[in-house]
Amino acid sequence: MSDYVEPAEDLGEAWLRTLELVHARGGRRVNVLTTITDPLAPEDTAVRAAIDAVLVPGPHNEQKERLDQAADDLYATYTGMLPLLCTADGNPRGTYFGRMVSWPGKEAGGYNQLAARVRYLRNEHRAGRRRHNLSDIAVGGEAEPSEDHTAALQDVGVQVYAPTDERQRGFPCLVHIDLTLLDGRLSMLAVYRHQYLVTKAYGNLVGLARLLAFLAQQTGFEVGELAVQATMADTQQDHFGGRKGIKALIDSARNKGG
């Protein structure tokens, strides 16, 4: 049976009345007539905002192309430098970011976990899903992704080490990154098995924050919370003047902060 929506002056009100009518009559109707008496009337911003909040449109094509190009340039530049970076002191087994963009992280051509997460998050954004527990980014371990990279989000994540692995500590200290989407905000948890609080921790936080900002920029979500879990947090007092040395560092930082 046909339905007639009471005419409205602007398109927002007309849309809303139509939605209300169809919803009240079961959610599906045929031959529904909606009339807008002044199609050029200013939009109702409240109606527009409500629609946008539900649809959560992804980046426009031109914006997406710019983001893709920027990301591709970053990946290519970094992976091109990987062999050289691996010769630097402290990097003989690769780098954190190298493992993220070219797993297992010693040369170009590996599996790009970040690019896969960006594609996945964009699909979530496009579908309007704003709450989701997402997958991991592998940093520790030696796992290989499956042949089907669309399924690799679940295949490469928290690593299981062999029973014969007796290492107490070593690269990488950062072993796991987890991404979670809640109310349109992308949050990150990073797990370190040994966090050097003087020589490494601040730089790690800067890097993680930039990584989270990059993922949010590439996918259209807002930046949420960044959390770091250190299974061992180390002030390194033996190398920085003992407890007095660390206290002096704290006092200095606090005074500058004030």
Side-chain angles (χ1 to χ4, degrees):
M1 181 177 179
S2 299
D3 286 300
Y4 175 74
V5 179
E6 182 180 355
E9 181 178 357
D10 64 87
L11 62 88
E13 178 63 23
W15 171 84
L16 184 55
R17 291 179 183 179
T18 304
L19 181 66
E20 290 171 338
L21 183 147
V22 177
H23 172 70
R25 299 181 182 180
R28 292 179 181 176
R29 301 294 289 177
V30 298
N31 300 327
V32 176
L33 176 62
T34 301
T35 304
I36 306 164
T37 60
D38 187 0
L40 299 183
E43 291 185 64
D44 185 325
T45 56
V47 173
R48 176 65 176 270
I51 298 171
D52 286 344
V54 173
L55 294 181
V56 196
H60 296 300
N61 288 335
E62 291 184 3
Q63 180 186 7
K64 179 177 178 297
E65 290 175 2
R66 289 195 299 271
L67 291 171
D68 285 343
Q69 186 59 58
D72 289 343
D73 290 344
L74 171 64
Y75 302 148
T77 300
Y78 194 89
T79 55
M81 295 169 55
L82 262 178
L84 178 62
L85 291 172
C86 288
T87 66
D89 290 344
N91 292 342
R93 285 172 285 181
T95 67
Y96 292 148
F97 197 68
R99 287 188 165 213
M100 294 179 197
V101 300
S102 187
W103 181 270
K106 290 189 177 181
E107 59 186 8
Y111 177 54
N112 190 329
Q113 300 183 78
L114 282 191
R117 271 61 180 180
V118 167
R119 289 193 299 270
Y120 181 74
L121 284 167
R122 283 180 179 174
N123 288 336
E124 294 291 285
H125 197 286
R126 191 177 301 114
R129 288 189 283 269
R130 296 165 59 82
R131 298 187 181 192
H132 203 287
N133 183 257
L134 304 175
S135 62
D136 313 314
I137 297 175
V139 184
E142 304 297 335
E144 295 294 338
S146 68
E147 292 298 322
D148 178 9
H149 288 341
T150 61
L153 291 173
Q154 286 74 41
D155 293 339
V156 178
V158 179
Q159 303 304 307
V160 177
Y161 293 88
T164 55
D165 186 350
E166 298 180 355
R167 292 175 296 175
Q168 301 299 307
R169 187 170 73 214
F171 179 84
C173 289
L174 172 62
V175 293
H176 170 67
I177 291 176
D178 187 79
L179 301 173
T180 301
L181 184 62
L182 178 63
D183 296 335
R185 296 171 65 86
L186 185 64
S187 294
M188 174 184 292
L189 167 68
V191 178
Y192 286 82
R193 55 183 168 189
H194 200 105
Q195 176 77 297
Y196 295 102
L197 296 177
V198 177
T199 58
K200 299 289 187 180
Y202 185 82
N204 289 340
L205 290 174
V206 171
L208 290 168
R210 290 177 178 175
L211 175 61
L212 180 56
F214 170 79
L215 288 169
Q217 178 198 51
Q218 286 287 316
T219 60
F221 291 112
E222 294 182 28
V223 173
E225 184 177 85
L226 169 62
V228 173
Q229 173 70 52
T231 58
M232 169 68 77
D234 186 352
T235 64
Q236 302 175 269
Q237 64 181 21
D238 291 344
H239 300 282
F240 293 96
R243 292 181 59 83
K244 290 183 178 180
I246 299 302
K247 179 64 163 56
L249 174 60
I250 293 170
D251 289 343
S252 176
R254 179 63 64 192
N255 291 335
K256 287 184 179 180

